């Protein structure tokens, strides 16, 4: 940062002669630094008047502002419709790196020490085409793990324990995406109901790790120990070759709507930090009571500084931005991919090689922006989620009711091949973070067991949570002992997981889906901090088999580069790191236009050949059959293919043996109803000009995608 930077060094900096606090506020007319007793954070021992410079930065200095000091600020200002100053309220420094709670709703910042011994451990820097994201909750992943010492269960240290890391490594994922770990609190409404915000999408402070996720010993020792435990977690995960991605919530804060808590931004400069109209009413595009104002450079700078801190001081590998469309809204509240915040995180040298993942929507006008983020961003692909759920669940339910599925296979094929009708050629398939489930919604098992949500436990009379689940209970709602229904459900889960892990793009698995975890039909368990949401480590036989299936699919993804291209193929050309694709019907003939869109054709053979620049040549054949009757398929005769070896069949409950049958091109094979089969296609490498590479299905299936 340039010495001339007017917003440099906001927050606390400690030197040999004490500390300096810098806080930005344009509309305040007075500010003071408040220092508290080292043992009693309610006992105010010193106040220091702060002075305002020409750039609206208020500065206060004190020898007492040293490591371990507890502090707050008090801010005064004129009355106006858009500001709510109160000089009696103790406020948090927005840049505080350690927090101490005071009573039920008070907070003090704490000055923490810099530095940590990372040794020779470095970020894994896993290429995006090799990345498999595992979305998890810090507490939930280890709370019930008997392999973790009891005092560490549900903590940062519990996630970093060898038992948890061993599980993740055995499964085969490459990155853990953690639900929010920046300090957060529960909403007032939930507290009044006796519930808590389990997920954590209610940020109190953007620089401090959430202290209740630290072990009791670390919490008792104070913010420095909490910070050390968090960094120790990252270090051990990195040592094991696992990346750490944080789900970050910069779109709104825990101060809720007007009349809500006044803990920091609202009392410092409400008019600047939050979007409002001239009457002071909040312009809320998040649905959470307030929206940070990214039409102003100061909130933009806040996010930039926070990202730099977590990426460098905490060594975080990537970020998933909650309601990221909000971060791209300018002064006119309109979204633009050219917004300076969206562009700056890509160009900032301090954020080089950091993975940036957008949840590409919010609830404001023009809030759905899937496919419209800048090149360099990846995005949660809700179109992928919906198409996959439809194909394996809602369409099959419709076929049972009316005799025929509503659509053909074209739109599904487009998603399978990397969603080129959503993302530009410049961005390629790795712009798509593919997911079938996430923390928000049904688990994968519940998608196959419930037609409707069951959220009464959330205290909102089942009004909360989406009704657009695209799920199918296979004939019975919820828990059943009916063997036929259970077999159909288990196969459906395998189809969903198989599609996810065999598609082009970056796959994201929701914690527990790898073995079929259920939340008993709750599709909005944000306020359930219990065994309903914690990961179970006691597994049924069927759950162990599903885990083995997921593990096998991840192994197959690693071993077959044709499944994970980083670029889209171009007709008739050789494109490095693309997978060149041929598409065949059940008879082994090339697909025609009618095949893509006809509901009568739900069987597809997808032959993909890799063009890697660092890995061995690879070719696979994936058969997808989307109706419940068995079908006989003739394996395609294609240039360069000598034989096909079966690698996986979703109709089998246990992954098949590595040494399985090999079939000749033109051979016939029975494919079970509503199932998938993956083969390795053996033979010499041929250039695309020597093969029958077809047009991408996105062009043929645009109408149904």
């Amino acid at each position: 940062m340039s010495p001339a930077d007017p917003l440099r060094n906001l927050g606390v900096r400690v030197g040999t002669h004490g500390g300096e606090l810098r806080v930005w506020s344009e509309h305040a007319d007075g500010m003071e630094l408040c220092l508290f007793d080292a043992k009693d954070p309610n006992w105010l021992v010193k106040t220091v008047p702060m002075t305002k410079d020409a750039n609206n930065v208020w500065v206060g200095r004190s020898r007492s502002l040293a490591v371990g000091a507890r502090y707050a600020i008090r801010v005064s200002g004129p009355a106006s419709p858009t500001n709510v100053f109160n000089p009696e309220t103790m406020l948090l420094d927005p840049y505080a790196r350690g927090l101490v709670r005071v009573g039920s709703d008070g907070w003090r910042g704490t000055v923490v020490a810099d530095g940590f011994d990372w040794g020779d451990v470095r970020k894994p820097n896993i290429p995006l085409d090799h990345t498999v994201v595992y979305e998890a909750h810090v507490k939930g992943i280890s709370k019930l793990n008997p392999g973790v010492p009891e005092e560490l269960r549900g903590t940062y240290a519990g996630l970093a324990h060898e038992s948890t890391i061993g599980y993740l490594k055995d499964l085969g994922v490459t990155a853990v995406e953690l639900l929010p770990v920046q300090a957060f609190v529960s909403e007032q409404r939930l507290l009044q109901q006796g519930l808590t915000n389990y997920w954590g999408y209610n940020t109190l402070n953007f620089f401090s790790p959430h202290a209740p996720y630290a072990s009791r010993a670390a919490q008792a020792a104070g913010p420095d120990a909490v910070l050390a435990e968090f960094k120790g977690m990252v270090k051990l995960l990195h040592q094991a070759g696992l990346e750490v991605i944080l789900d970050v919530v910069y779109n709104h804060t825990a101060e809720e709507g007007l009349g809500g808590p006044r803990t920091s931004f609202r009392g410092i400069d409400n008019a600047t930090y939050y979007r409002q109209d001239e009457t002071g009413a909040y312009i809320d595009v998040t649905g959470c009571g307030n929206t940070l104002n990214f039409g102003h450079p100061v909130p933009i700078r806040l996010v930039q500084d926070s990202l730099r801190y977590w990426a460098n001081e905490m060594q975080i590998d990537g970020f998933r931005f909650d309601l990221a469309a909000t971060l791209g809204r300018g002064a006119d509240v309109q979204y633009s991919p050219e917004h300076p915040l969206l562009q700056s995180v890509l160009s900032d040298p301090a954020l080089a090689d950091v993975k940036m993942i957008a949840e590409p929507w919010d609830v404001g006008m023009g809030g759905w922006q899937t496919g419209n983020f800048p090149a360099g961003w990846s995005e949660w692909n809700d179109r992928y989620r919906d198409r996959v759920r439809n194909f394996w669940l809602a369409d099959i339910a419709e076929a049972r009711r009316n005799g025929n599925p509503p659509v053909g296979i074209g739109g599904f094929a487009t998603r399978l091949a990397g969603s080129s009708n959503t993302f530009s050629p410049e961005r390629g398939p790795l712009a798509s973070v593919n997911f079938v489930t996430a923390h928000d919604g049904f688990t994968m098992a519940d998608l196959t067991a419930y037609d409707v949500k069951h959220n009464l436990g959330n205290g909102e009379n089942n009004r909360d949570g989406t009704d657009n689940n695209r799920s199918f209970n296979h004939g019975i709602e919820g828990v059943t002992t009916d063997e036929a229904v259970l077999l159909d459900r288990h196969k459906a889960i395998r189809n969903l997981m198989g599609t996810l892990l065999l598609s082009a793009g970056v796959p994201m698995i929701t914690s527990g889906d790898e073995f079929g975890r259920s939340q008993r039909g709750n599709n909005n368990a944000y306020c359930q901090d219990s065994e309903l949401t914690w990961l179970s480590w006691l597994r049924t036989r069927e759950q162990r088999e599903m885990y083995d299936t997921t593990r096998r699919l991840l192994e197959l993804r690693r071993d077959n580069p044709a499944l994970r291209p980083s670029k889209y193929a171009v007709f008739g050309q050789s494109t490095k790191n693309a997978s060149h694709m041929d598409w065949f019907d059940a008879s082994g003939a090339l697909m025609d236009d009618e095949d893509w869109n006809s509901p009568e054709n739900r069987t597809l053979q997808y032959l993909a050949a890799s063009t890697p620049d660092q890995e061995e040549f690879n070719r696979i054949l994936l058969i997808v059959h989307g109706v419940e009757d068995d079908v006989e398929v003739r394996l395609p005769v294609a240039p360069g293919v000598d034989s096909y070896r079966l690698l996986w069949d979703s109709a089998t409950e246990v992954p098949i043996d590595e040494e399985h049958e090999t079939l000749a091109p033109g051979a016939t094979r029975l494919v079970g109803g509503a199932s998938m089969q993956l083969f390795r296609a053996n033979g010499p490498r041929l250039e695309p000009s020597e093969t029958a590479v077809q047009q991408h299905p996105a062009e043929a299936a645009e109408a149904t995608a």
Side-chain angles (χ1 to χ4, degrees):
M1 272 176 232
S2 164
D5 182 355
L7 297 179
R8 71 187 185 281
N9 295 337
L10 293 177
V12 172
R13 294 295 182 275
V14 176
T16 55
H17 301 292
E20 177 183 87
L21 171 65
R22 294 167 56 85
V23 178
W24 187 94
S25 177
E26 177 182 358
H27 297 100
D29 60 18
M31 190 178 299
E32 62 180 356
L33 166 63
C34 301
L35 294 158
F36 297 87
D37 181 72
K39 295 182 179 179
D40 182 357
N42 284 303
W43 184 9
L44 179 62
V45 296
K46 181 185 291 187
T47 61
V48 177
M50 299 173 69
T51 57
K52 183 178 181 180
D53 68 15
N55 299 300
N56 298 314
V57 175
W58 295 77
V59 182
R61 300 180 180 88
S62 174
R63 289 184 177 274
S64 302
L65 193 62
V67 172
R70 300 174 180 187
Y71 71 101
I73 56 175
R74 290 194 292 213
V75 183
S76 62
S80 72
T82 56
N83 268 310
V84 285
F85 292 111
N86 185 334
E88 301 302 316
T89 303
M90 294 292 180
L91 301 170
L92 273 176
D93 165 22
Y95 283 69
R97 299 183 179 185
L99 303 183
V100 173
R101 190 159 198 160
V102 181
S104 62
D105 59 357
W107 300 88
R108 304 287 183 261
T110 303
V111 182
V112 296
D114 292 329
F116 178 78
D117 182 9
W118 295 97
D120 59 356
V121 176
R122 299 292 180 266
K123 292 184 179 183
N125 284 322
I126 295 169
L128 202 53
D129 64 310
H130 286 72
T131 296
V132 178
V133 177
Y134 185 83
E135 189 198 42
H137 189 284
V138 167
K139 182 176 183 179
I141 194 171
S142 70
K143 182 63 177 175
L144 299 177
N145 185 353
V148 173
E150 187 172 0
E151 67 274 13
L152 300 182
R153 294 175 192 168
T155 69
Y156 298 126
L159 172 55
H161 188 267
E162 60 184 5
S163 172
T164 315
I165 288 178
Y167 176 83
L168 296 170
K169 292 293 291 182
D170 179 74
L171 180 60
V173 297
T174 69
V176 182
E177 180 177 302
L178 299 177
L179 268 65
V181 297
Q182 293 176 340
F184 66 86
V185 294
S186 295
E187 293 87 340
Q188 300 299 300
R189 175 185 57 81
L190 287 178
L191 295 174
Q192 291 166 6
Q193 293 177 279
L195 298 170
T196 61
N197 187 325
Y198 174 66
W199 288 347
Y201 291 88
N202 200 45
T203 311
L204 175 72
N205 179 272
F206 296 123
F207 289 82
S208 305
H210 191 57
Y213 288 163
S215 62
R216 288 185 179 178
Q219 291 183 58
D224 278 298
V226 171
L227 201 59
E229 184 173 313
F230 183 94
K231 292 179 179 179
M233 172 193 73
V234 175
K235 180 178 179 179
L236 287 171
L237 288 165
H238 282 176
Q239 201 166 42
L242 293 166
E243 292 188 316
V244 182
I245 298 171
L246 298 189
D247 195 334
V248 286
V249 189
Y250 293 118
N251 56 80
H252 75 282
T253 77
E255 292 186 303
E256 303 184 37
L258 283 175
R262 178 168 38 207
T263 54
S264 185
F265 303 100
R266 177 172 289 142
I268 294 172
D269 199 320
N270 187 60
T272 296
Y273 279 107
Y274 295 119
R275 289 196 181 277
Q276 306 170 60
D277 63 22
E278 62 279 0
T279 70
Y282 280 170
I283 301 171
D284 180 13
V285 301
T286 68
C288 299
N290 66 62
T291 300
L292 282 174
N293 177 18
F294 296 114
H296 192 284
V298 168
I300 291 174
R301 178 57 176 271
L302 174 78
V303 173
Q304 293 169 331
D305 288 346
S306 175
L307 293 172
R308 291 170 185 145
Y309 176 71
W310 289 94
N312 295 287
E313 182 66 25
M314 311 291 255
Q315 288 290 287
I316 295 302
D317 303 278
F319 302 94
R320 178 268 186 189
F321 294 80
D322 182 64
L323 300 182
T326 299
L327 279 65
R329 293 183 181 270
D332 59 359
V333 202
Q334 300 299 307
Y335 171 83
S336 170
E338 303 303 317
H339 190 283
L341 179 52
L342 301 183
Q343 294 290 337
S344 69
V345 300
L346 301 175
S347 60
D348 189 342
L351 299 175
D353 299 321
V354 175
K355 294 176 171 68
M356 300 294 177
I357 302 170
E359 182 185 38
W361 52 78
D362 62 19
V363 301
M365 290 289 291
W368 187 71
Q369 294 293 335
T370 306
N372 293 331
F373 273 68
W377 282 80
S378 295
E379 302 175 36
W380 274 25
N381 189 348
D382 56 323
R383 284 185 166 188
Y384 177 95
R385 173 200 64 199
D386 293 348
R387 177 60 66 183
V388 172
R389 290 187 183 190
N390 278 349
F391 187 81
W392 291 119
L393 300 171
D395 290 358
I396 288 176
E398 178 71 13
R400 283 197 187 183
R401 287 190 296 268
N402 300 317
N404 294 295
V407 298
I409 203 167
F412 179 86
T414 302
R415 300 301 161 198
L416 187 70
S419 296
S420 65
N421 64 340
T422 300
F423 301 101
S424 67
E426 177 191 14
R427 300 181 67 190
L430 298 181
S432 177
V433 174
N434 297 331
F435 68 110
V436 177
T437 68
H439 63 276
D440 185 3
F442 277 146
T443 67
M444 196 173 283
D446 286 353
L447 281 173
T448 73
Y450 295 91
D451 279 355
V452 295
K453 66 191 180 186
H454 295 264
N455 296 356
L456 285 174
N458 297 350
E460 298 183 51
N461 295 316
N462 213 41
R463 291 189 302 267
D464 65 303
T466 183
D467 293 310
N468 185 24
N469 295 295
R470 303 167 192 257
S471 58
F472 177 36
N473 67 15
H474 293 84
I476 298 174
E477 186 75 359
V479 177
T480 182
T481 58
D482 187 304
E483 283 296 324
V485 170
L486 290 174
L487 287 173
D488 285 346
R489 289 178 179 179
H490 296 157
K491 184 172 62 173
I493 297 171
R494 293 192 294 272
N495 286 331
L496 293 169
M497 186 64 77
T499 302
L500 175 63
L501 297 182
L502 303 179
S503 294
V506 180
M508 184 186 79
I509 300 172
T510 303
S511 179
D513 279 352
E514 70 272 18
F515 64 85
R517 181 179 74 90
S518 173
Q519 289 180 169
R520 301 199 296 273
N522 191 321
N523 75 351
N524 191 35
Y526 74 105
C527 57
Q528 301 294 327
D529 186 359
S530 68
E531 293 189 16
L532 182 73
T533 51
W534 303 338
L535 199 68
S536 172
W537 293 78
L538 298 174
R539 312 281 167 81
T540 65
R541 174 181 60 82
E542 292 82 5
Q543 288 178 326
R544 292 193 297 272
E545 290 171 351
M546 184 61 214
Y547 175 87
D548 290 342
T549 293
T550 306
R551 185 176 181 274
R552 174 63 173 152
L553 286 165
L554 284 166
E555 181 180 46
L556 292 171
R557 185 178 182 86
R558 283 196 304 275
D559 292 347
N560 292 278
L563 293 169
R564 40 184 175 81
S566 57
K567 295 180 181 178
Y568 296 128
V570 178
F571 183 79
Q573 296 182 16
S574 179
T575 304
K576 287 293 184 185
N577 299 311
S579 287
H580 292 272
M581 304 162 188
D582 292 314
W583 305 87
F584 303 89
D585 62 18
S587 72
L590 290 169
M591 297 275 282
D592 60 29
D593 290 348
E594 185 176 349
D595 290 332
W596 290 118
N597 298 308
S598 172
E600 296 178 1
N601 180 45
R602 302 255 304 176
T603 305
L604 173 76
Q605 300 190 76
Y606 162 54
L607 186 66
S610 71
T611 56
D613 58 2
Q614 295 184 352
E615 299 179 82
E616 293 296 320
F617 171 72
N618 171 246
R619 187 191 285 118
I620 60 92
L621 175 71
L622 181 65
I623 301 176
V624 178
H625 177 51
V627 295
E628 292 193 287
D629 296 325
D630 296 350
V631 66
E632 189 172 72
V633 167
R634 184 177 299 277
L635 301 183
V637 177
V641 178
D642 298 333
S643 64
Y644 296 100
R645 185 163 67 84
L646 182 64
L647 302 175
W648 179 69
D649 184 348
S650 74
T652 63
E653 297 183 14
V654 180
I656 60 177
D657 191 285
E658 177 70 27
E659 298 299 327
H660 207 70
E661 61 186 300
T662 299
L663 300 172
T668 59
R669 176 172 176 79
L670 188 69
V671 177
S675 71
M676 308 172 70
Q677 294 182 5
L678 178 70
F679 296 81
R680 181 171 291 120
N682 301 309
R685 177 175 182 172
L686 298 177
E687 292 302 314
S689 59
E690 303 176 72
T691 70
V693 175
Q694 290 179 281
Q695 88 182 130
H696 195 280
E699 300 173 28
E702 184 72 35
T704 62

